[in-house]
């Protein structure tokens, strides 16, 4: 070949050659595709989630590193990282359900999931039955010939009910159903649902797994190769797969997940106990408190009780609004699982689509405040809460 001209040289950059060394961290492979010497290798990568890297929507080395890391933490055979938690949840639901199928879910569910199930019912001839999260007999009674899937959440939002994963997953398995568990609130540090009989675990990695409030992402982890490959194919068709930069940020956060969870849980414990004794507070909902309806189950299932709790102000909605505008350190914001303490008012934000009757049934009052505790010093948080309550 003749000497290349500047226009061509500028395009074809030299690749880094790492002779005899390698990066300590997982590099960010910010590329939409890969180059091949052998067309057969190219073809192989198109058809499976664990083959050669071909095209960004199918796979990427940074994304696969995240998938392997989370799959390892959850004890799965494989994982599919997605652009958001809802991307993971919908890849699973839309990938496994077809018109005419019936699903069984607990209630309340994360708002986005609840909205999606309503959509599946309204537009795709799918039917749903709701059962309590810790009632395997109710699950058995709800099974029909066309039931395919059971959907649970390890710890639910915002009053933190804990699902009876061993009982519910066993009932699902007896009936030949696929059980899916949203493990976002627990993280694999507190719970690994596959060990309790679940078939698929989903996460919003936006929350604890990334942990720094700087990325939106999701992941689904599978107990079986068959489900892994099926949902991967569907996530690729849907275009739900993760972006490498988001995966890279999530990997960076994941390295400190165990340390952060320890602090989230200990901060939640201290604040929940102190609020429980505060005269302005009528109830605290955290599964670590013996008064919580899920406490006994949670104590069996989880080594600690998570960093999210909610509490009811005796003064109702007006007191809730006053509290929310009086906090200085805690931030009034959506989401959870980041290093900063965030609070919100479920009745007007995350659970605004529920009727007053439904809110009441799920234990959410006009004066309920949800707290997603961060990793700040607990005395600084308490000082902020105490001044906002006074
Ligand atoms: C945030 C969240 C989701 C949705 O995740 P996104 O990343 O916002 O799409 C699903 N389930 C739970 C429990 C969540 O907290």
């Amino acid at each position: 070949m003749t000497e290349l001209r500047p226009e061509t040289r500028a395009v074809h950059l030299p690749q880094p050659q790492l002779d005899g060394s390698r990066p300590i961290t997982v590099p960010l492979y910010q590329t939409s595709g890969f180059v091949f010497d052998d067309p057969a290798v190219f073809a192989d990568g198109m058809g499976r989630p664990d083959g050669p890297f071909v095209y960004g929507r199918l796979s990427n080395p940074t994304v696969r590193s995240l998938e392997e890391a989370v799959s390892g933490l959850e004890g799965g055979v494989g994982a599919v990282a997605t652009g958001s938690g809802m991307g993971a949840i919908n890849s699973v639901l839309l990938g496994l359900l077809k018109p005419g199928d019936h699903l069984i879910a607990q209630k309340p569910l994360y708002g986005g999931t609840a909205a999606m199930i309503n959509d599946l019912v309204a537009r795709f001839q799918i039917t749903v039955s709701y059962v309590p999260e810790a009632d395997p007999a109710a699950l058995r009674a709800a099974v029909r010939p066309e039931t395919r899937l059971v959907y649970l959440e390890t710890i639910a939002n915002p009053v933190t009910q804990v699902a009876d994963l061993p009982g519910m997953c066993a009932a699902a398995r007896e009936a030949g159903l696929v059980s899916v568990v949203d493990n976002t609130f627990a993280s694999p540090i507190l719970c690994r649902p596959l060990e309790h009989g679940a078939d698929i675990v989903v996460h919003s990695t936006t929350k604890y797994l990334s942990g720094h409030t700087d990325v939106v992402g999701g992941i689904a982890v599978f107990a079986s190769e068959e489900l892994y490959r099926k949902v991967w194919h569907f996530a690729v068709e849907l275009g739900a797969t993760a972006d490498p930069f988001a995966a890279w940020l999530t990997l960076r956060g994941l390295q400190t997940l165990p340390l952060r969870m320890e602090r989230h849980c200990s901060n939640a414990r201290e604040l929940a106990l102190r609020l429980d004794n505060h005269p302005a507070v009528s109830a605290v909902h955290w599964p670590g408190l013996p008064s919580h309806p899920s406490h006994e189950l949670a104590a069996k299932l989880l080594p600690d009780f998570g960093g999210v709790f909610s509490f009811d102000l005796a003064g109702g909605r007006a007191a809730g609004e006053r509290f929310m505008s009086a906090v200085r350190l805690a931030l009034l914001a959506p989401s959870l699982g980041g290093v900063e303490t965030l609070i919100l008012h479920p009745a007007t934000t995350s659970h605004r689509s529920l009727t007053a009757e439904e809110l009441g049934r799920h234990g959410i009052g006009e004066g309920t405040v949800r707290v997603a505790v961060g990793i700040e010093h607990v005395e600084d948080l308490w000082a902020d809460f105490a001044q906002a309550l006074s």
Side-chain angles (χ1 to χ4, degrees):
M1 220 178 346
T2 57
E3 180 75 3
L4 295 173
R5 291 160 182 82
E7 291 81 351
T8 308
R9 281 174 176 269
V11 170
H12 292 269
L13 300 172
Q15 292 288 332
Q17 300 299 324
L18 307 178
D19 298 327
S21 63
R22 59 185 189 275
I24 293 173
T25 63
V26 177
L28 170 56
Y29 285 89
Q30 189 69 31
T31 181
S32 62
F34 296 82
V35 182
F36 294 88
D37 299 319
D38 180 348
V41 179
F42 189 162
D44 180 32
M46 301 291 293
R48 57 194 178 104
D50 47 1
F53 301 105
V54 177
Y55 178 58
R57 182 158 46 77
L58 281 62
S59 58
N60 171 283
T62 310
V63 174
R64 192 171 298 170
S65 172
L66 174 64
E67 291 169 338
E68 286 175 0
V70 178
S71 182
L73 288 173
E74 288 284 5
V77 300
V80 176
T82 52
S84 69
M86 289 314 302
I89 291 165
N90 286 326
S91 296
V92 168
L93 293 180
L94 293 168
L96 300 181
L97 292 171
K98 59 180 190 321
D101 284 349
H102 172 244
L103 91 129
I104 300 172
Q106 72 175 65
K107 215 172 192 180
L109 287 168
Y110 174 75
T113 310
M116 186 62 199
I117 290 177
N118 289 343
D119 236 25
L120 291 176
V121 169
R123 297 169 51 220
F124 296 93
Q125 292 106 47
I126 285 167
T127 53
V128 59
S129 301
Y130 291 102
V131 298
E133 71 284 345
D135 192 345
L139 195 165
R140 283 190 200 96
V143 174
R144 302 180 197 163
E146 67 275 21
T147 310
R148 292 282 167 268
L149 190 143
V150 172
Y151 192 95
L152 303 165
E153 296 179 345
T154 311
I155 305 175
N157 187 36
V159 295
T160 61
Q161 298 93 332
V162 174
D164 175 8
L165 295 183
M168 299 293 270
C169 293
R173 182 145 304 188
E174 279 162 34
L177 312 177
V178 174
S179 50
V180 182
V181 178
D182 183 333
N183 198 35
T184 299
F185 273 45
S187 93
I189 302 304
L190 299 184
C191 187
R192 289 167 297 282
L194 302 183
E195 291 176 1
H196 300 295
D199 297 299
I200 301 177
V201 171
V202 292
H203 280 280
S204 168
T205 56
T206 313
K207 316 293 169 53
Y208 289 110
L209 296 195
S210 65
H212 293 73
T213 334
D214 52 9
V215 60
V216 172
I219 199 161
V221 186
F222 303 88
S224 85
E225 288 282 343
E226 188 201 340
L227 288 170
Y228 169 42
R229 281 162 209 281
K230 198 164 173 178
V231 173
W232 175 76
H233 273 283
F234 191 75
V236 167
E237 281 176 19
L238 200 61
T241 42
D243 174 76
F245 185 52
W248 185 78
L249 285 172
T250 306
L251 279 166
R252 184 183 158 108
L254 197 63
Q255 290 178 302
T256 56
L257 174 68
L259 290 174
R260 287 185 285 105
M261 285 313 290
E262 232 177 270
R263 178 64 75 87
H264 286 298
C265 291
S266 67
N267 278 357
R269 173 185 307 277
E270 197 55 38
L271 293 178
L273 287 171
R274 292 188 192 184
L275 286 167
D276 208 26
N277 288 313
H278 195 285
V281 174
S282 56
V284 179
H285 313 281
W286 185 63
L289 295 176
S291 58
H292 192 285
S294 298
H295 178 67
E296 210 177 303
L297 179 61
K300 269 192 277 178
L301 202 61
L302 312 171
D304 209 331
F305 304 95
V308 177
F309 67 85
S310 58
F311 63 96
D312 302 336
L313 285 158
R317 188 181 189 121
E321 280 168 5
R322 267 201 311 279
F323 179 84
M324 257 158 305
S325 41
V327 286
R328 304 219 171 85
L329 196 56
L331 306 170
L332 179 56
S335 201
L336 61 112
V339 291
E340 311 88 351
T341 296
L342 306 180
I343 60 166
L344 61 76
H345 185 230
T348 54
T349 58
S350 57
H351 292 67
R352 68 190 179 287
S353 63
L354 300 190
T355 63
E357 191 268 327
E358 284 176 315
L359 284 173
R361 194 144 33 83
H362 301 322
I364 305 167
E366 295 276 353
T368 301
V369 175
R370 190 197 74 179
V371 183
V373 191
I375 63 167
E376 301 94 332
H377 196 292
V378 72
E379 295 301 342
D380 291 330
L381 289 173
W382 179 247
D384 188 35
F385 278 40
Q387 68 78 25
L389 287 170
S390 66

